[in-house]
Amino acid sequence: MSKVHSFAGCLKAEFLRLILSPKTYLSVLLVAFAFGLSVRISGFDISWGDGVYFLGLAMNQSNTHLLLILSVGISFSTAFLEDWKHRYTLAQVIRAGTGSYAGARVIVCFIGAWTAAFLGIHLFLGLISLKIPVMSETFYEMYAYAPYGALAYSRFPYLYVLVIAAIISAGLAFWAVAGLLVSVCIPNVFVAAGLPVMLSFYITVFAGDLPQPVNLSLMGRYGDVGFGLWGSFLYTLFFFLALTALMGVFFYKIVKGRVSGERISCGGQYKDKRLCSAVSLRVQRQ
């Protein structure tokens, strides 16, 4: 089996698991709940404003952003730990190789977290639209001063919502992959889901004065990075994707080390001699 077919098979299996996993839909609900909770505790009168206004209000609260990271991390940052616990990692390494497994796992983690966050944002907007409009022309003047706000004046005003939702989701997906990398280093569910939250908090507190093009906190809240409307949008997405790819390389290296290390040796955690032999042979061939 070629490497391309092995990777494609791994990717297909991971996407199928993503669709069938209840945790995927749990994250959608948690993201919507996080935004709703933020609006609830903000003390603002929900009858004044529109859905996009309250979405921005929530994103400007650091506690909400941390809760959002945790909402996606619970489902996606802990995926490797479940794979390792149930020997799924070893089975995929034997079948397709470490590179195919690691690449598919990182890609599906990012896309899954992005999708869950994106749908969660729209679920929040859908629920809040039962009382107030998602976008109201009364508040278009406020959008004019916001990053990407010019899109609200386009022929398709909802494009503004799609753009900021895509950026917020990309930032949360980045943190989900960061948690995935943490999980392969520190095999603990609470650490995998919670450490990215702590890192995000410290970045927000201590790195707020970083230049706009490298300011994670600013970009995660769809801030302007100084390259114009579409330039900033594309740069922000590329920035998160590039960091994700870099973490994917580290993830692959560490997984390969764990697979070929003492933890799965014949005298180690697993006593199945045939499994150890198959994994060792597969690793040697890579």
Side-chain angles (χ1 to χ4, degrees), residues 64-78:
T64 305
H65 192 246
L66 299 179
L67 186 58
L68 289 171
I69 295 174
L70 184 62
S71 297
V72 296
I74 289 174
S75 300
F76 300 101
S77 297
T78 60

Side-chain angles (χ1 to χ4, degrees), residues 3-284:
K3 291 185 177 180
V4 174
H5 285 90
S6 298
F7 175 71
C10 246
L11 200 58
K12 181 180 179 180
E14 293 299 330
F15 273 119
L16 183 61
R17 295 176 69 203
L18 173 70
I19 295 172
L20 297 177
S21 174
K23 287 187 175 182
T24 301
Y25 307 99
L26 174 63
S27 281
V28 175
L29 296 176
L30 288 176
V31 168
F33 174 78
F35 280 110
L37 180 64
S38 174
V39 172
R40 181 70 177 178
I41 65 177
S42 65
F44 284 86
D45 184 4
I46 197 174
S47 64
W48 186 91
D50 59 14
V52 175
Y53 168 77
F54 285 108
L55 180 69
L57 179 70
M59 287 305 300
N60 285 326
Q61 298 183 30
S62 59
N63 292 338
T64 305
H65 192 246
L66 299 179
L67 186 58
L68 289 171
I69 295 174
L70 184 62
S71 297
V72 296
I74 289 174
S75 300
F76 300 101
S77 297
T78 60
F80 173 78
L81 297 177
E82 295 182 6
D83 291 352
W84 188 265
K85 178 181 178 181
H86 299 292
R87 296 194 185 184
Y88 180 80
T89 301
L90 305 182
Q92 286 295 75
V93 167
I94 294 171
R95 176 177 176 270
T98 310
S100 296
Y101 166 76
R105 169 48 66 198
V106 171
I107 289 173
V108 172
C109 177
F110 184 89
I111 293 178
W114 186 94
T115 304
F118 192 80
L119 294 178
I121 290 171
H122 284 84
L123 176 60
F124 162 73
L125 292 175
L127 293 174
I128 205 171
S129 68
L130 298 176
K131 288 191 174 182
I132 56 177
V134 174
M135 297 185 71
S136 173
E137 293 184 2
T138 307
F139 299 93
Y140 276 15
E141 292 184 4
M142 293 179 12
Y143 302 152
Y145 300 99
Y148 310 103
L151 294 174
Y153 293 90
S154 67
R155 295 179 61 183
F156 183 51
Y158 199 75
L159 185 60
Y160 173 62
V161 179
L162 296 177
V163 165
I164 63 175
I167 293 175
I168 295 171
S169 302
L172 295 177
F174 157 77
W175 285 113
V177 176
L180 185 71
L181 179 60
V182 168
S183 72
V184 76
C185 301
I186 307 175
N188 183 281
V189 173
F190 299 103
V191 174
L195 189 57
V197 177
M198 297 177 59
L199 291 176
S200 176
F201 172 78
Y202 285 117
I203 287 176
T204 302
V205 173
F206 297 107
D209 296 328
L210 285 174
Q212 291 176 325
V214 292
N215 194 319
L216 273 175
S217 178
L218 176 69
M219 285 186 281
R221 292 174 171 83
Y222 58 92
D224 183 14
V225 294
F227 297 124
L229 195 155
W230 290 112
S232 295
F233 173 68
L234 295 176
Y235 174 83
T236 301
L237 295 184
F238 174 79
F239 186 81
F240 284 128
L241 287 172
L243 289 181
T244 299
L246 181 61
M247 290 189 294
V249 173
F250 286 111
F251 180 77
Y252 161 71
K253 296 290 185 182
I254 299 172
V255 169
K256 185 176 181 180
R258 288 197 63 175
V259 168
S260 60
E262 294 181 359
R263 288 184 178 87
I264 62 164
S265 65
C266 293
Q269 178 180 352
Y270 301 114
K271 305 303 181 181
D272 190 329
K273 306 295 183 180
R274 291 175 297 178
L275 180 61
C276 287
S277 299
V279 172
S280 300
L281 180 61
R282 182 73 195 193
V283 171
Q284 291 172 6

